[in-house]
Every structure is written in structure tokens, then in C-alpha cells.
Amino acid sequence: MTKKIITILILILILFIFNISAAAELKDPWISEKEQGQHGGTLITTLLGDPKTFNTIIAKETSSSTITDGYIFEGLVTRNGVTTEYEPELAKSWDISEDGRKYTFYLREGVQWSDGKEFKADDVIFTFDVIKDENIPTSSRDVLKVNGEFPVYKKIDKYTVQFTLPESFAPFLNNMTAPIIPKHKLNEAWEKGEFNNSWGINTDPAEIVGTGPFKLVDYKNGERVVMEKNNYYWRQDPNGKTLPYINRWIRVIAESQETESLLFEKGQTHYLSVRGIDYRRIKAESENNNFSVVDAGPTFSTNFLVFNMNPRNPNLEDEPYKYEWFTNLNFRRAIAHAFDKETMINQALAGQGTKQWSPISIANKVYLNEGVKRYPYNLEKAREELEKGGFKWNENGELLDANNNKVEFTMVTNAGNNVRESLVNIIASELRELGIKVNSTPIEFNKMVNQLSSEWNFDSILIGLTGGVEPHQGTNVWMSNGHLHMWNPVQEEPATEWEKRIDELFVKGSQTVDLEKRKEYYNEFQEIVAEKLPVIYTVTPNSLYAVRDSLKNTEVTAYGGVLWNIHELYLEN
């Protein structure tokens, strides 16, 4: 064999290897990686309330968005329900400029709306025209603004759109999960000023068009929402067949969590979000029935106690000493050591919970710093901290401050939340061991929120937040000028050096695109909160689900729940 032939064969081999590698890298993201399922069947689940609208842009309540977002409408970007990482959705890919100010999205070609019309860049531009319109009552507008300015956006070509920001803003990609709506169906209403009245609950379902895996076909107030497979959906299974597998989805409107549990236990629904108080009973039932109970780990929610450290508290005129207590770091550390979190988990969460230490949700796999300072339950350590803070005890064991004021305060939570009411009782019981008298007062939720956010006249409040993946979504809580900066809101200038540092970290975190650098900033933020204790964390409930054995391809997580990959789920037999 001549050298020339050998050289040609080597070149052919190199090209062959390169092509295999390239093909692997360019694997079509439309195709599911789950096992091939069976087409057909009717999925039955529940909703806790009726929708207020099917117009996803103006929807303000989860009873509406839980029907539309991700199921009827999709965004340019989504988050993986397991890893929580960003993934392409209507955009197949994107570029970010070196300065972090320019985002270019390359749309999937061949995607169709559920009426068969082609999805293209004009729909994306129209969606953001609507969101930008000050006449449209949408919460998306403020979220999209960067330093008070709405991004500049334009169509590059039929399948490319570009956004230019006034400054680098890493959380911008999170905002691109916003649902995209069809220009050909809603542009006329928008131009006439009638957009806010479009796609209400009385709209003919055939008029509501999306790119998601399902389309709306029927709604009966107080009874059900019915959806059917979108035959034009763009994703495919491993054999190139269209998704989703499920043909029909009935969502029964239940009156309460008790009704949801009853429907599932009677075998009438395919999955159930299990309450902690029901866990043991339903777990026992699963052993002899056709379903499994999944503990998906801690939810993204948090529960915590916050003391009023606001010098503008109107009650300080009569009780100025309370401000001295609550701003005393040793006092707050003593309270933290008095939190018996094991008892909280066992009694308030029926054993189904996890201890929380950081302001980032335990379930947040991207940003959680597990190395923050912790305060194990230890009443002797609590007493040491109180002595360091200038407190003492009288002959009756009552705690006194340096001026001999008895330490007594009110702890408020929202009435009707059994978990929080139980947590308050546990905390009050432990603090009695330290000589502290706590007056626990459950009140109506909106009244509690008013005390916290506008009246500023509380002693302490036990409350919670829902949490999420992107830390910047919490700026209203953690930055010193935030309206939900609960212990001392809407500060003109940071009241402390550590609050000033948190402000700096959140600005740096938003301006930095590099993920590892962002983690460094948010790690330090978590360490500061754990050290300074502006809020004291309790325990987080676990995400518990009961799932029928016949529902296949499920991958249940705290972030995604059961249905995050609904296009891949199928019903066996």
C-alpha cells in the first residue's frame, strides 16, 4: 500500500471520528431522553381554586398561572426540574456578549402554535411590546427592568431576537422564562386597547393558542379544567414520534386539601401533594395500593422569626427598651440557640422536614452555602449569650435587661396556618425556659402583612417566603431599601455596615455573568445573614407526593414537582 493511499485513509478516519463527535455535540435537543412511552390516556389531577383568567401576561394568581405557564405557553428559556439549570425552550440557543449587556436568542425553526400557525421572532417582539406597555397590568414589567430601564429589544431576522441591557445583569436570563404569546391572535386586541379583557375565563377555548404541550378545550367554574394534547407540539420521543404522550388532561377543582386527599385515596386522581400531617397515613396505605409516596426533599420555602429593629416603630415611644433588646446581637443569638428544631420537625411537620440555616432555600442546588454558621439547640449556650448581652435573671427566674425591664414581647403569625401556629407555640415554650414571656397572637394574614410592611408596629413575626433558584429575586427582602427588608425596611442609607455589604454583594451578583463568581458573592451574603441573624430560621417542610404506579417517566423533585416534564409522562395500560 502506497504512502499516498495510507495518508488518504488516515484523513478519512479522522473525518469519520470528527463527524461522530460533532453529531454527538449537536444532538437534537427536541428529542426526549426518557424511555419511549405509550400514546393515549387521560391524566386526572386537582386544582385548589378556579382560574381568574387565561391571559398569562396579566395573571397575578397561581390559580391562573398554574394552568397556563409551561403547559399552554412556554418561554424562550426554562429551568430543568431536577438540576434547576437553564435549558433551551423556544430558543434553541443564545449568546451573551463579553460585557454581559447583549443577549441574542436563536429561535427554533419549525415550531407551530396550537392552531398550526408558525412561531417566529415577531411573536417574541410582540410579547415584550405588550409587557412594556404601561397600560397592561403585568408584574413582568418591573422584573424585566434593569436599573429602572426596560431592555432594548429588536428582531434580527425571522428566527433571531436580541436584547440590549443598560448594564450587565445576570438575572436577566431567569426573566426569559416569561411565556411567549401569539401575535396573530392578540395583536388586534392590543392595538385597540382591549388586551386586558382578552382571554378571560369565558373565552372560547379554541381562541386560546400556545406552543405548549397542551391546549385548553373546556372549563366549568367550580368543576374542572380540561386540556388536550397539542398535535403541533415541537418535542419528539426517541423514535421521532410527537409528544406529549398523554391525550387528555382533566384538572378537577377541589375545595380544599382535604378534598384533594380524599379524591386521591379513592383512586380518582393520579398524584397528590401530601401534607405532613397526612404523610404517615398515606404512606401506610401505599403499601397495599397501586401508588408510591415520594419524599422529594426540602421545599424551596422558608419559615423564620424576625424581630422589629426599625427605629421608626411607633411603639417605641412607650417601649424604647425593646429596640435595645432586638438590636442586641447576643440576644438574637440566644434566641437562635433556643430553637428546638428537632421538636419543630416532629411536632409541626409530623417528622417530614429539614433544619434551615441559610437564607437560600435548602433545595437550591445552585447557590446554597451549606457552610454557614449554625446555632444548635442549647439552652445553656443561650443563657451565656444573654449574659454577654447584659441580661440577668431575678429571683423568680424572669429575664431582665440591664435596666431591670422584664423581657416580654408579642410573637405574631397568620391565623389558620397550622404549621406556623405550632412553631410559635414551640418557640414560646422554649423561651419560657430562659425566663422570657412570649405572648403568641395568630392574626389574619393581611393584617400581619400590614404590620410588617407599612405599620411597622410589631415586636416579632413568624412568617415565610416561597423561595426560588435566582437569589436576585430576593432583592426586595435583602437590600436595605427594600420594602420587604422586614426588620428595618426602606432605609435611605444602610443602617449597619453588614447591611451595606449585603447591598454591595447583591449589586455585584447581578452585574456578574460568571456563575462561579456569582456564587462567591451570594456565599458571602449567606454567611453575613447567618452571623448577624436579622431573621432566625426554623425548619422547612419536605416536598411529599403520592404518585400512581401507572404514571410513568416521572422524576419528582422539590423544584419541579411531578409535572415539570409532563410532555414525557405517559399512562401505562
Side-chain angles (χ1 to χ4, degrees):
M1 187 180 292
T2 66
K3 289 183 178 180
K4 184 175 181 180
I5 294 174
I6 292 173
T7 301
I8 292 171
L9 289 173
I10 292 173
L11 288 172
I12 291 172
L13 181 62
I14 291 172
L15 288 171
F16 177 71
I17 293 171
F18 173 79
N19 284 336
I20 291 176
S21 175
E25 292 176 2
L26 297 174
K27 182 179 178 181
D28 190 347
W30 293 33
I31 299 175
S32 167
E33 294 183 357
K34 295 285 187 182
E35 67 177 60
Q36 183 183 358
Q38 303 171 7
H39 284 87
T42 298
L43 177 69
I44 304 176
T45 64
T46 55
L47 294 166
L48 268 177
D50 284 281
K52 302 297 187 294
T53 181
F54 296 119
N55 187 331
T56 181
I57 299 295
I58 65 173
K60 290 182 173 62
E61 54 288 310
T62 55
S63 60
S64 298
S65 60
T66 195
I67 293 171
T68 57
D69 296 0
Y71 306 127
I72 298 176
F73 306 105
E74 299 172 307
L76 298 179
V77 176
T78 188
R79 282 190 181 271
N80 184 282
V82 176
T83 67
T84 73
E85 296 285 358
Y86 293 117
E87 289 186 341
E89 198 161 49
L90 291 177
K92 63 183 178 182
S93 63
W94 56 85
D95 292 331
I96 305 174
S97 62
E98 289 188 11
D99 63 3
R101 293 183 56 233
K102 194 165 290 185
Y103 288 69
T104 305
F105 293 90
Y106 305 97
L107 309 182
R108 297 185 186 278
E109 300 179 22
V111 173
Q112 294 172 279
W113 295 96
S114 53
D115 62 357
K117 300 290 186 181
E118 184 182 16
F119 160 76
K120 48 189 183 293
D122 290 334
D123 297 302
V124 179
I125 298 301
F126 169 69
T127 299
F128 288 94
D129 283 345
V130 171
I131 293 173
K132 185 180 179 182
D133 186 348
E134 295 287 344
N135 295 313
I136 307 300
T138 177
S139 57
S140 298
R141 185 164 49 254
D142 288 339
V143 173
L144 281 162
K145 288 180 179 178
V146 179
N147 199 16
E149 295 183 40
F150 202 86
V152 175
Y153 51 97
K154 63 181 180 180
K155 170 184 171 181
I156 303 299
D157 59 40
K158 187 177 181 180
Y159 301 113
T160 311
V161 294
Q162 189 176 84
F163 294 79
T164 302
L165 315 184
E167 60 186 47
S168 178
F169 186 69
F172 180 75
L173 201 56
N174 189 68
N175 299 335
M176 292 297 98
T177 60
I180 304 300
I181 56 175
K183 180 177 181 178
H184 71 278
K185 297 296 291 186
L186 291 169
N187 184 59
E188 183 178 352
W190 178 59
E191 289 183 341
K192 290 181 177 179
E194 299 172 355
F195 182 86
N196 297 339
N197 298 320
S198 300
W199 287 4
I201 57 174
N202 295 319
T203 301
D204 179 357
E207 291 297 309
I208 299 170
V209 172
T211 59
F214 289 89
K215 60 182 180 180
L216 183 70
V217 295
D218 188 31
Y219 165 60
K220 291 287 189 297
N221 184 271
E223 295 182 20
R224 65 183 183 273
V225 174
V226 182
M227 303 166 79
E228 288 184 354
K229 172 180 179 177
N230 173 9
N231 290 320
Y232 295 101
Y233 192 50
W234 50 275
R235 294 186 193 264
Q236 299 174 355
D237 76 0
N239 287 339
K241 294 183 178 180
T242 61
L243 295 173
Y245 291 118
I246 294 167
N247 274 352
R248 191 172 177 85
W249 184 8
I250 298 175
R251 308 177 79 172
V252 179
I253 297 170
E255 297 178 355
S256 64
Q257 291 177 307
E258 288 79 6
T259 301
E260 287 185 311
S261 297
L262 183 61
L263 288 171
F264 182 83
E265 291 176 82
K266 286 184 173 181
Q268 295 178 14
T269 58
H270 284 97
Y271 88 93
L272 171 70
S273 180
V274 181
R275 298 180 300 172
I277 58 174
D278 297 331
Y279 177 76
R280 289 191 179 93
R281 185 187 81 253
I282 292 178
K283 178 69 174 175
E285 290 177 4
S286 71
E287 296 175 3
N288 299 311
N289 286 284
N290 60 347
F291 67 88
S292 301
V293 176
V294 180
D295 182 346
T299 68
F300 275 79
S301 65
T302 58
N303 287 294
F304 52 83
L305 181 69
V306 56
F307 286 105
N308 193 340
M309 295 186 271
N310 186 348
R312 296 157 292 174
N313 177 356
N315 292 341
L316 292 183
E317 185 174 339
D318 298 322
E319 302 171 320
Y321 44 84
K322 287 186 176 180
Y323 178 77
E324 301 299 324
W325 305 342
F326 301 156
T327 56
N328 185 321
L329 180 56
N330 294 112
F331 176 82
R332 300 198 301 277
R333 286 176 175 168
I335 301 300
H337 278 299
F339 276 22
D340 185 353
K341 296 186 179 182
E342 289 290 345
T343 297
M344 291 178 184
I345 290 171
N346 292 330
Q347 292 187 8
L349 302 178
Q352 305 306 310
T354 307
K355 299 175 184 179
Q356 176 95 27
W357 304 104
S358 168
I360 295 293
S361 302
I362 301 170
N364 192 331
K365 298 179 181 180
V366 180
Y367 290 104
L368 177 65
N369 180 354
E370 298 191 62
V372 299
K373 183 177 178 64
R374 300 188 177 198
Y375 300 83
Y377 172 60
N378 188 326
L379 292 182
E380 286 305 313
K381 183 67 174 175
R383 291 186 180 95
E384 290 176 12
E385 290 290 349
L386 288 170
E387 289 177 347
K388 289 178 184 177
F391 295 88
K392 57 192 176 184
W393 290 265
N394 64 18
E395 63 276 9
N396 297 320
E398 297 170 312
L399 186 68
L400 308 176
D401 65 15
N403 295 315
N404 295 320
N405 295 300
K406 290 183 181 180
V407 179
E408 177 180 349
F409 58 85
T410 299
M411 190 179 299
V412 170
T413 196
N414 51 305
N417 188 313
N418 295 333
V419 169
R420 289 181 188 161
E421 289 184 13
S422 179
L423 291 174
V424 165
N425 291 333
I426 293 167
I427 294 170
S429 175
E430 293 299 330
L431 294 186
R432 277 197 297 272
E433 296 295 316
L434 297 176
I436 299 172
K437 183 178 180 182
V438 175
N439 303 307
S440 58
T441 311
I443 61 176
E444 192 267 329
F445 181 77
N446 289 334
K447 183 178 180 181
M448 182 184 72
V449 171
N450 286 339
Q451 287 187 5
L452 189 69
S453 60
S454 59
E455 296 173 358
W456 305 337
N457 58 351
F458 64 95
D459 288 343
S460 66
I461 288 180
L462 187 82
I463 195 170
L465 295 170
T466 54
V469 179
E470 173 52 60
H472 191 79
Q473 299 301 108
T475 52
N476 205 21
V477 175
W478 299 112
M479 293 191 73
S480 61
N481 62 359
H483 284 80
L484 281 178
H485 194 72
M486 303 176 196
W487 58 97
N488 186 7
V490 201
Q491 300 174 24
E492 292 184 8
E493 297 291 337
T496 63
E497 286 299 314
W498 58 266
E499 286 172 292
K500 179 180 178 182
R501 180 55 181 164
I502 289 177
D503 287 355
E504 294 170 353
L505 291 169
F506 267 82
V507 171
K508 290 177 181 292
S510 71
Q511 293 176 340
T512 304
V513 176
D514 180 77
L515 179 59
E516 293 307 313
K517 194 64 182 176
R518 296 192 81 208
K519 287 181 181 179
E520 290 180 18
Y521 295 137
Y522 294 121
N523 278 346
E524 184 181 345
F525 145 68
Q526 293 170 74
E527 290 163 4
I528 292 172
V529 172
E531 175 67 28
K532 299 300 183 181
L533 293 173
V535 302
I536 306 173
Y537 286 96
T538 59
V539 292
T540 298
N542 285 3
S543 298
L544 307 170
Y545 296 96
V547 184
R548 295 278 167 221
D549 295 340
S550 59
L551 186 59
K552 301 296 185 180
N553 271 348
T554 58
E555 196 166 3
V556 182
T557 69
Y559 180 73
V562 177
L563 304 179
W564 70 270
N565 63 330
I566 192 169
H567 55 278
E568 298 173 311
L569 304 186
Y570 71 93
L571 294 167
E572 190 174 56
N573 300 322

